Each structure stands twice: as C-alpha cells, then as structure tokens.
Amino acid sequence: MKKRSNTAVQLKAAAIGCGIAMTLASTQAVSAPRDYISIVGSSTVYPFATVVAERFGKTTTNPTPKIESTGSGGGMKLFCSGVGTGHPDITNASRRMKKSEFEKCQAAGVSDIVEVLIGFDGIVLANSVKTKQMSLSRKDIFLALAKNVPAPKSMQDEFVTAQTLVANPYKTWKDVNPALPDVKIEVLGPPPTSGTRDAFAELALEGGCKKISWIKAMKKQDKKAYKSLCHTIREDGHYIEAGENDNLIVQKLDANPNALGVFGFSFLDQNADKVQGSMIEGQPPAFDTIADKSYPVSRPLYFYVKKAHVGVVPGIEGYLAEFTSEKAWGEDGYLAEKGMIPLSTDVRQTNGADIKALKAMSGEGL
Amino acid sequence: MNKPSNASTERIRKTLAKRYRTEKRFRLYGIMAILFGVLCVATLFVDIIGKGHGAFRQTYIQLSVDYAPDVLGISDINDTQQLALANFSGIVKNSLRTRFADVSGRSEKRQLYRLVSNSAEYELAGRLKANHGLLGQSEKVWVLADDDIDTYFKSLNSRDGAFVGRTNDTQQEWIQSLIEAGEIELRFNTNFFRSGDSREPEQAGIGGAIVGSLFTLFITLVLSFPIGVAAAVYLEEFAPKNRLTDFIEVNINNLAAVPSIIFGLLGLAIFINFFHVPRSVPLIGGLVLAVMTLPTIIISSRAAIKAVPPSIREAGIGIGASPMQVVLHHVLPLALPGMLTGTIIGMAQALGETAPLLMIGMVAFIVDVPGGITDPATVLPVQIFLWADSPERAFVEKTSAAIMVLLAFLITMNTAAVVLRKRLERRW
C-alpha cells in the first residue's frame, strides 16, 4: 500500500515537472520576438536567396536570415499558415502563387502579401561541345521523351479523329524528326523529386504536347489524362535519371558526346567550355533570349513577403533593399554571376518602386 | 566385440578428412565475411580521407593593400557610419590592379578580381576597425583565395594533372606568377572549424554545425536521461506485473525500431503545431531526438538494473531499508555504468540523425553560429547533406572533411562508452 502511494506521488511530481517544462518552453516561444528573418520555399531560388542573405548578414548589423529549402509548394503551405513570429516571413517560389494558395493565405489572416519577381531561370538541354549543336522544337522534345505518344500514323493523317496512343516507339532523333541527326535518343536528367524536372515537363514537354491539336482539345475534357500524357517521361532507358547533382550530368555529357542533359542555365553558364545548349524553337539559351522570353523553357522566380511582419521582425526592409539593389539583381549583379537571368531595366525600376512602397498584391489574375 | 567398433572407427576415419575440410571451409567463410567488411570500411575511409584532407588547408594570397582614404570614402575615421559603408572592395581591386599592372579590359579585370574571395573586403574592414591608424597606410595582408583558385592550386601537384575547373589560361598565368613571387600559399584552415555555413566554399565552415549539434545533444541528454532512467527503474523495480505493463513493455521495444522520420512528424505535429516551439532551433531538435533515443535508453537501463543481483536488494530490505532507499542507494549506483553506456550510444545515434530534423526545419542555410538553444541552428549530418548538394566543386572536399569530423565525434563517443563499461563494470 505504502509502496504504491509513494510511486504515485513520484509519478505525479514527474508529470507536473514535465508540464511545467513544456509550458515554459511554449510560452517562451510564443512571446519571444524573433530577431532573424525566417525564409522558406523553392530549392531553385535557394542558391540565390542564400547569397543575398549572406551578404545582408555581413554588411548590416542584423543577423543572417535563416533559409529552408522546402520546395515552392511546401513553402507556400508554411507561409500561409498564419501571422506571428512562429511563421515564416518570406517564401521563395519558382512559380507564381496559385489562386488557391492566395485564398488559403487570406483565410489564415495573411492578408497583405508583397509579391517580388526577382528574375528568370532557364532550363537547358545541352550536349558536349565535341559534337554539333542540336536544334529542337518543343514538339520534338515531347515526342522524344514522353512515355506515351500519338501513334505515328495518326500524326500524318490530320483527319483521323479517333486518336490512339502508343508507348513511345522512337529510338533515334531522326525517327522523331527527319531533320535531326541519326543519333540514339539519350537524355540525362533529374529524377522526379526535382523541381527542375517538374518545370522541364511543364514547359518543354507540355509546350510540345499542346502543339498537337487533339491533345490540346483533350485538356478541356479530361484534364487529368491530359496532364498525365503531357508530363510523364518515358522509362525505357532513353531518359536516364542522373540524380539531382547537375555537376555530375555535365561530367557525363563530357564523357558521352551523344547524350543530352537537362539542367539549370547556371550550370551551362559555368561550364561553357564543356557543354553547349541546344537551340529550342530556333533560340539558343542565352542571357538575352531568356530575359526577353524568346527562349521558351524559362520560368520566373518569385518571393513573397508577409507585410504584417515588416517592422515586427527586424531587417525585412533591409533584406528587400539588398535583394532589389542593382549590385544584386542588376545586369552585372552578383545574382547574375550565380546564374540568375535578370529582369529588364524598366521592369526592375517599376518593381523596385512597388517593393519599396510595400505594395500588397491584389490576388487578381492569379 | 572388436569388430563393430573397428567398423565404426573405420567409418569415422573415412569421413574425418572430409569433416576437417568442411570445418576449415566454414571458418574460411567467416574470415572472408570479416575481410569483406574490413575492406569496405577501408575503402570508405581511404576515399573520404583522400577527398577531404585538402579541406583542412586553404589557399591564401598575399596582397599589399593601400588603405587610401579617398578610395574608401572615409573622411573621419571615428565616424562608424562611414566605416560601415566604406568601399573596401575598391581597395582590394586596386591592390590587385597594382600587382598585375598589365591587365586591361573589362572582362579581364573581372577575371582578375575573381582571384580573391569576397571575404577579403570584410577581413580588411575588420583590420581597419581594430586599428584606426592603418588609414592612409599600406600593409601586406594574406587574404582568402577564391574557391576556384583554391581547387586549382591544390590540384597543381596531383598525379592526374591539375584540375582546371572554371579558371582560364590568364588566371593560371597569374597564379604561376604569384607562386614564383611566393605570394600564394596553403595555410591551416582555422576558418573551417570556426565559421558557419556559407555559399562561398572558401568561407564555409562547420563551426556553426558543431555548436548546433552540441546544443541539440545537450537538450536531448537533459531530457532523455532522467526520463529514461526513471521509466526503467519504475518498470523494473516497482511496476506490478499485469497486462498494462506488458503492453507498455511491448510498445517500448517497438518504438526502438520505429523509423526516425516518424519522430520528426511527431515533433512537427505536437511540439511545433501544438506547443508552438519555434522551428529550426536546437530546442525542438533536442526534444525530437530525446523522444527518439528514449526507448534505447530505457531498454539498456532496464538491462543494467536487471543485471544487479537480487541478493543486494534482499540484503538492503533485510536491514530495514525502504524500497526507494534500496533503489537509490544500492541498485542505481551499481547499474549506472550500464545506463551510461546505453545513453552514450543513444546520443551517438542522435548525433548522426538527419531524417527527423528534416520535418522540423533544421535542414536550413544558417550562417551565424548559434548562441543558445533558441537560435536557429543546423547539425553536422545536415551540413554534410547540404554541402553534398551544392553545385560548387570546392564543396566536394568540404563534404568529405565534415564527414571526417563527424566520424571523429562518433568514434570518440563510442570509445568513451567502451572505456566506461570496462572501467566501472562489476562482475558478480
């Protein structure tokens, strides 16, 4: 009897102790003001945001912002979960905020959001400089890399309405388009977990997919089937998953002149002695063509700022100023050196002014 | 009588050679298994050390810097505002231009400026801040070389030929001239152990990650050791044997085998979303890892308590000690070495963990070295993961070097566990 009561008392004490510890921890967390900026979001923007954050931390008295690479979608989810120092101040995105995300933000009380378009990122298809430069259309890319393609016969006969799909039969680039060289289709690219692959599928594959009129019509009827047709990459050995490490792809291209690789523009820029970008729709991937959007496989890079946190968390305005300064996002800025494609001068000026005024986005046209 | 035994000895004799052979083969399989394991470990170590040893030394370039007030834009040295905004990159560029006077053209100049790391300007700013008398003077300073130059310079003497990387011929000529003048050299990389992460490989260090790991482990230890020991003592010494305790026991054993990512999800749901503990700080990391190591500590502590002979307890009770006194005065001190060993192994496991930290925001870019348990921090294995993912070539050796440091910590902890057990263990 005595033994039991003894242990019961001990247990109770332990429970109370734990409770106190937890409440202490939690109250401290809720009331504690955060003195550093918390940033989440896209892994594509991560290399640029981290450079800015590091410079900002070194040149000001503010601590260096903390940046988590959660992916665009994950970042939005965290960003839109509420207002208060427990939630991030900024989220990076390699696409624009979706309407559904904007509404979710509004519902959680994140009403004023400042949208910042920082620049562009191009995705390139490149091969070794030892061989000839390729010139492809998005349709070629779709036909060469999609898992299922329209049966070649129906491609020729525009009047056939009942369209059939077959597993991708093309073995060489010449099969896809007689104008292309007679070389085996061999493309090294990132695995499905990568954002680069998503963007590549969306911009290059879907871009080519849409060129086929009956598939385009399918989008309205059966969006799911349309998406799975246009976004699924073949798995029969012609598309080789080469890991997330773009450096590795560059090395493999150097060793195998017949292969093409898919990676971000910054890696092409840094390895121009080894690889050359293929022309897409007649445009070479270059600073200017990506900036003026004539090169089609490029995506905008954004970040979003919670206006309610400006003034609460110190340094947000300073971080914005550093990011939108000419020495960072300008044409010769250090972000361009890391491979980001800058905006045009007048867009930079108007956007810069809006950002300085902390103009909140309206949510229209998303 | 002799005949049957003769027959059986004959049979035994016949099979004897075969049995010896099988025996030998059996041992050989075991030896081969061990050799295979040793070979794998050796390859791993050779590979990591071969790649990573370079990171402990870093390339420095000597510049003769002229702290010209007009270039810096400082008219009054005591004005901190002016000092903060001063154009230190200007004097770095000037000194490079004076050193290589024949460089002309915009693109060639940009190549030249890329020889030194951008940390050079912060280094000079620090020097001037510390010694105001330098204004208007000039001095020779060793500054960090850029990461491309560093990789190239380190590979100059390698057998496979130099790794050119992103350096071009002109830059290589400049480096040659620096080598001849003795103005470029490798130095021990103290920066690697002192500073936090950086996007510039030459400035990146594991100092922040080590401190983050220490804070996190501290929280883990403070929480999991007392709770684990209390649970073990209760279950082993006081708990009545019934369905409920059996159920708890089974669950503890199961929890020890649960994949660690699950604990991360639990931490996210309970500690962050419900208790509002901030993300990315050692506090939350320590909480999650404490929950993760609890089963390990409870199981090993129970084993240690079980190993204390019942005669000790009986003797204690016999001379009139209460059950609590028996536990506190006799059982616990005797079981402590075993408990500590289990705890150290649990801590070593926690030190190497990344998966649960992924969910609670500790996989992040953090430059500042954390100063407390509520500062954002990352830990050693996460730092390795982040560097392995970076595009810059110079991060390859940093990654391997960080692995070496992590392994050194793990080996030290496990050795401590072994030594502790050998020293304090008592056999009955």
Side-chain angles (χ1 to χ4, degrees):
Chain A
M1 195 60 214
K2 189 149 190 228
K3 188 171 119 185
R4 288 209 97 171
S5 69
N6 231 347
T7 51
V9 168
Q10 270 180 358
L11 269 183
K12 208 183 253 171
I16 291 169
C18 274
I20 290 172
M22 286 313 303
T23 35
L24 266 180
S26 60
T27 47
Q28 189 204 10
V30 169
S31 59
R34 187 152 45 75
D35 65 343
Y36 56 90
I37 304 172
S38 167
I39 303 173
V40 293
S42 163
S43 54
T44 314
V45 185
Y46 176 85
F48 307 125
T50 44
V51 179
V52 177
E54 198 178 341
R55 300 241 179 179
F56 170 72
K58 271 187 186 154
T59 48
T60 62
T61 50
N62 295 90
T64 311
K66 176 198 86 181
I67 304 181
E68 285 177 56
S69 167
T70 60
S72 299
M76 290 289 178
K77 211 169 147 190
L78 287 168
F79 181 78
C80 289
S81 56
V83 173
T85 49
H87 304 285
D89 313 313
I90 295 175
T91 184
N92 300 321
S94 55
R95 56 168 171 78
R96 214 167 169 208
M97 185 181 262
K98 289 180 190 159
K99 183 115 197 155
S100 58
E101 287 162 346
F102 183 75
E103 277 156 7
K104 210 183 148 212
C105 259
Q106 302 292 326
V110 187
S111 48
D112 286 347
I113 305 165
V114 183
E115 182 181 54
V116 183
L117 172 64
I118 52 173
F120 294 95
D121 176 43
I123 297 172
V124 301
L125 257 173
N127 60 0
S128 165
V129 285
K130 291 170 203 156
T131 50
K132 266 180 73 179
Q133 190 180 25
M134 297 273 269
S135 181
L136 303 164
S137 70
R138 278 174 287 178
K139 196 167 154 186
D140 295 337
I141 297 174
F142 168 68
L143 290 178
L145 293 178
K147 189 172 184 192
N148 293 311
V149 294
K153 217 177 190 177
S154 68
M155 293 289 299
Q156 291 160 8
D157 186 2
E158 291 285 330
F159 302 104
V160 175
T161 42
Q163 309 288 356
T164 44
L165 290 170
V166 291
N168 198 329
Y170 303 114
K171 300 264 185 261
T172 68
W173 288 102
K174 201 175 175 162
D175 292 346
V176 173
N177 181 349
L180 293 171
D182 189 10
V183 178
K184 190 184 162 207
I185 297 170
E186 211 179 345
V187 176
L188 303 162
T193 47
S194 156
T196 311
R197 162 130 164 201
D198 289 345
F200 178 71
E202 191 180 321
L203 296 162
L205 261 65
E206 195 184 328
C209 194
K210 274 195 297 210
K211 293 277 161 68
I212 300 162
S213 50
W214 66 271
I215 297 181
K216 198 177 178 189
M218 196 170 131
K219 188 178 179 180
K220 291 201 184 96
Q221 293 152 13
D222 189 352
K223 210 171 173 187
K224 223 173 175 178
Y226 165 80
K227 219 177 160 188
S228 96
L229 172 63
C230 292
H231 283 218
T232 314
I233 291 180
R234 67 198 296 185
E235 286 155 356
D236 53 357
H238 288 281
Y239 180 88
I240 302 149
E241 280 169 17
E244 297 250 21
N245 192 329
D246 291 1
N247 276 322
L248 205 67
I249 298 182
V250 172
Q251 280 172 32
K252 284 184 179 164
L253 291 182
D254 196 34
N256 178 3
N258 286 332
L260 267 83
V262 178
F263 43 81
F265 175 73
S266 50
F267 285 85
L268 178 71
D269 193 33
Q270 287 180 27
N271 294 290
D273 55 331
K274 284 190 197 138
V275 287
Q276 59 188 352
S278 307
M279 309 249 265
I280 294 180
E281 312 287 359
Q283 295 291 341
F287 246 83
D288 303 328
T289 54
I290 298 173
D292 68 14
K293 293 187 183 170
S294 56
Y295 180 80
V297 194
S298 77
R299 54 180 158 170
L301 304 177
Y302 290 93
F303 68 83
Y304 293 88
V305 186
K306 218 173 265 177
K307 200 172 170 181
H309 284 196
V310 178
V312 178
V313 176
I316 294 182
E317 278 167 315
Y319 177 77
L320 285 175
E322 172 76 31
F323 217 125
T324 57
S325 69
E326 235 5 63
K327 69 173 180 193
W329 75 347
E331 256 143 48
D332 292 322
Y334 55 77
L335 289 176
E337 205 146 292
K338 286 273 172 191
M340 190 189 79
I341 314 293
L343 304 166
S344 64
T345 316
D346 34 324
V347 174
R348 280 205 307 277
Q349 268 167 7
T350 44
N351 281 12
D354 284 353
I355 293 154
K356 207 162 187 191
L358 294 172
K359 197 170 139 192
M361 65 194 282
S362 62
E364 273 166 38
L366 286 176
Chain B
M1 199 176 145
N2 259 351
K3 264 197 175 169
S5 85
N6 258 351
S8 60
T9 40
E10 186 60 22
R11 214 178 64 230
I12 290 170
R13 206 178 51 78
K14 262 186 182 166
T15 56
L16 200 58
K18 195 183 165 200
R19 281 166 60 201
Y20 273 133
R21 277 204 306 277
T22 349
E23 172 88 18
K24 244 186 186 166
R25 258 204 311 275
F26 184 66
R27 287 190 191 179
L28 199 69
Y29 292 149
I31 291 174
M32 266 157 64
I34 291 174
L35 277 182
F36 179 72
V38 169
L39 200 73
C40 287
V41 172
T43 322
L44 177 80
F45 271 66
V46 168
D47 181 56
I48 289 174
I49 294 173
K51 272 189 193 153
H53 71 95
F56 296 109
R57 301 208 299 164
Q58 197 71 35
T59 311
Y60 282 75
I61 292 176
Q62 193 185 43
L63 292 179
S64 55
V65 184
D66 182 9
Y67 296 90
D70 52 329
V71 180
L72 285 168
I74 297 178
S75 50
D76 175 16
I77 185 71
N78 293 319
D79 185 351
T80 46
Q81 190 65 27
Q82 273 187 21
L83 204 56
L85 293 173
N87 180 14
F88 284 98
S89 90
I91 59 169
V92 173
K93 286 174 182 174
N94 272 351
S95 101
L96 280 167
R97 271 205 307 271
T98 4
R99 173 66 180 77
F100 298 97
D102 52 341
V103 174
S104 61
R106 198 173 129 73
S107 77
E108 208 169 36
K109 273 184 193 159
R110 272 176 66 168
Q111 297 290 345
L112 179 64
Y113 301 152
R114 278 195 203 143
L115 285 183
V116 297
S117 160
N118 69 14
S119 74
E121 38 193 287
Y122 306 118
E123 161 88 24
L124 295 183
R127 291 180 80 88
L128 188 62
K129 229 169 264 173
N131 182 3
H132 287 182
L134 280 172
L135 191 70
Q137 307 288 313
S138 59
E139 65 165 347
K140 284 195 188 303
V141 189
W142 286 94
V143 296
L144 271 175
D146 188 67
D147 56 312
D148 293 329
I149 306 301
D150 178 57
T151 346
Y152 171 70
F153 184 64
K154 278 175 185 164
S155 70
L156 272 181
N157 296 322
S158 81
R159 265 168 293 148
D160 328 322
F163 175 80
V164 179
R166 291 170 64 196
T167 59
N168 59 21
D169 294 343
T170 352
Q171 282 179 322
Q172 288 163 25
E173 275 167 34
W174 291 331
I175 293 170
Q176 203 52 46
S177 117
L178 284 172
I179 293 172
E180 277 154 22
E183 288 170 348
I184 185 167
E185 67 177 32
L186 284 173
R187 300 179 150 201
F188 184 70
N189 191 358
T190 48
N191 205 26
F192 184 68
F193 296 98
R194 269 209 316 249
S195 57
D197 198 3
S198 169
R199 284 283 299 140
E200 310 296 334
E202 73 275 8
Q203 297 168 41
I206 49 167
I210 290 179
V211 175
S213 273
L214 289 180
F215 278 131
T216 309
L217 280 190
F218 172 73
I219 300 286
T220 309
L221 183 68
V222 163
L223 286 172
S224 64
F225 185 63
I227 297 178
V229 169
V233 167
Y234 180 76
L235 285 174
E236 204 54 51
E237 297 285 324
F238 300 106
K241 283 269 168 271
N242 58 22
R243 287 249 175 106
L244 184 69
T245 43
D246 282 350
F247 179 71
I248 291 175
E249 219 177 304
V250 168
N251 273 302
I252 289 175
N253 289 332
N254 273 340
L255 274 178
V258 163
S260 54
I261 185 87
I262 308 287
F263 291 104
L265 286 167
L266 178 110
L268 178 68
I270 295 179
F271 298 129
I272 293 185
N273 291 346
F274 188 71
F275 285 109
H276 298 292
V277 181
R279 286 171 71 84
S280 316
V281 299
L283 178 65
I284 177 75
L287 281 168
V288 167
L289 292 177
V291 176
M292 193 194 80
T293 42
L294 259 182
T296 318
I297 294 180
I298 295 177
I299 290 170
S300 63
S301 299
R302 289 186 67 181
I305 293 171
K306 222 178 247 170
V308 176
S311 56
I312 305 255
R313 296 185 187 87
E314 281 153 17
I317 302 275
I319 57 165
S322 73
M324 192 180 94
Q325 283 172 325
V326 170
V327 167
L328 289 184
H329 297 170
H330 304 283
V331 177
L332 264 188
L334 289 171
L336 206 59
M339 291 175 167
L340 285 179
T341 314
T343 309
I344 292 175
I345 287 168
M347 288 296 124
Q349 195 189 343
L351 176 67
E353 204 55 75
T354 27
L357 304 179
L358 202 69
M359 309 307 302
I360 52 171
M362 287 190 86
V363 180
F365 176 72
I366 287 148
V367 174
D368 300 330
V369 176
I373 57 165
T374 51
D375 282 351
T378 185
V379 294
L380 270 172
V382 169
Q383 191 64 71
I384 292 168
F385 168 72
L386 287 173
W387 284 351
D389 236 20
S390 301
E392 287 84 356
R393 165 86 185 193
F395 273 125
V396 173
E397 61 174 26
K398 300 271 171 192
T399 311
S400 295
I403 293 174
M404 281 156 75
V405 173
L406 179 62
L407 282 179
F409 272 107
L410 290 176
I411 290 171
T412 317
M413 284 171 84
N414 286 330
T415 319
V418 172
V419 169
L420 213 65
R421 195 168 54 214
K422 282 261 178 318
R423 278 276 175 84
L424 303 176
E425 196 177 44
R426 275 175 71 173
R427 290 185 185 281
W428 284 281

